[in-house]
Amino acid sequence: MDVAVVEKAPEIYRKSIVWDSHSCMPIKANQDLSAVERHRRAGATFVSLNVGMDFNPLAQCIRVIAGFRDWIARNSDRYLLAGTVEDVKRAKREGKLAIAFDLEGSAMLEDDLTMLGLFRDLGVRQIHLAYNLNNSIASGCHDQDRGLTALGRAVVKEINRVGMLMDCSHTGRKTSLEIMEVSSKPVIFSHSNPLALREHVRNITDEQIDKCAGTGGVIGICGIGPFLGNNDIRTETVIRHIDYVAQRVGAQHIGLGLDYVFHPEIDDLPAHESPDKWWPRALGYGGTGGAMQIVPPEQLPEIAAGLVQRGYADADIAGILGGNFIRAAEQTWIG
Ligand SMILES: [Zn+2]
């Protein structure tokens, strides 16, 4: 790396709001979230933590949110619960890590539209409608894609109204295109990579990328090794995915969604569920002979340096690191 990059990259990184649009703590009650300090130490400003998936019942999601909120409140010297973009900017000024919540799926709504406003009031700022498999609202990316149901259309409109980011990761391709038709606000893929670079059902087509950009949305490049390449989390591989999206729709539609799993040693899948149902081995999840690699928060500064090295403009780098998700949140969150 040349001297100019070595000097310039840390400064751009330090000045930027660094936004991780999705990472994972165990979906269990009363969790110690102290590992999230890794994000703060790495210079991140914001992380969205998952508080429930389609296999987590409503009561469990509420318990998880209660525990996360309590932990953040008891550690307010370093963390804050972000409800607004201004909260995120304040976290940056104060050297804190802003945390908001996301839901991976919509089964926990129990087909009740009024649950969206409640989850929003509890700190959820981002939601997808299906997690890999179909439910009563939408289709998942591992399943037969039947599109949005009538209830699903109403859910999208209510998500727009209450002020959450509409997230199409894990969603069926046809369903995601329909969501982007119905949504009146920018739609994001919080953690999804271009299919053109890596064949996987979790990755997204050019049509999905184009349509997302058309809504003013953002594609969060995902740090999961098997979605980037052959379990490959090298910075040059992350940059290759960024380059592809940038060349197709412009750097203003790119962000980062590491999907970092802080505690892979903790099994949080409900007892009656089988991992193979949600993450089939045939699709490359687990069972490939080695641990699944995920881009860790500590790699974020190196990604910034990689973008400088690749010749991205300073403003584009700031956008990719977090400015683009800030823009989408400003147009979406109500606060
Ligand atoms: Zn996910």
Side-chain angles (χ1 to χ4, degrees), residues 12-21 36-48 78-82 84-100 258 297 300 318 321-323 326 333:
I12 294 176
Y13 186 78
R14 203 167 41 244
K15 284 184 183 164
S16 297
I17 285 184
V18 178
W19 182 292
D20 175 7
S21 66
V36 83
E37 176 66 5
R38 291 178 59 186
H39 270 67
R40 201 183 71 89
R41 284 234 177 98
T45 318
F46 172 89
V47 62
S48 181
R78 294 183 194 180
Y79 312 99
L80 60 83
L81 182 63
T84 65
V85 168
E86 182 47 39
D87 290 338
V88 179
K89 292 179 176 170
R90 180 163 56 88
K92 178 74 182 171
R93 289 195 298 273
E94 296 178 357
K96 293 180 180 175
L97 177 68
I99 301 171
L258 299 186
L300 288 165
L321 291 175
I326 282 276
W333 293 357

Side-chain angles (χ1 to χ4, degrees), residues 22 24 50 53 102 104 128 131-132 169-170 190-191 202 222 227 259 279:
H22 180 74
C24 305
N50 172 11
M53 305 163 87
D102 64 79
E104 291 206 278
H128 26 258
Y131 183 82
N132 294 352
S169 287
H170 290 282
S190 66
H191 55 300
R202 268 283 282 110
C222 180
F227 304 161
D259 206 0
W279 306 287

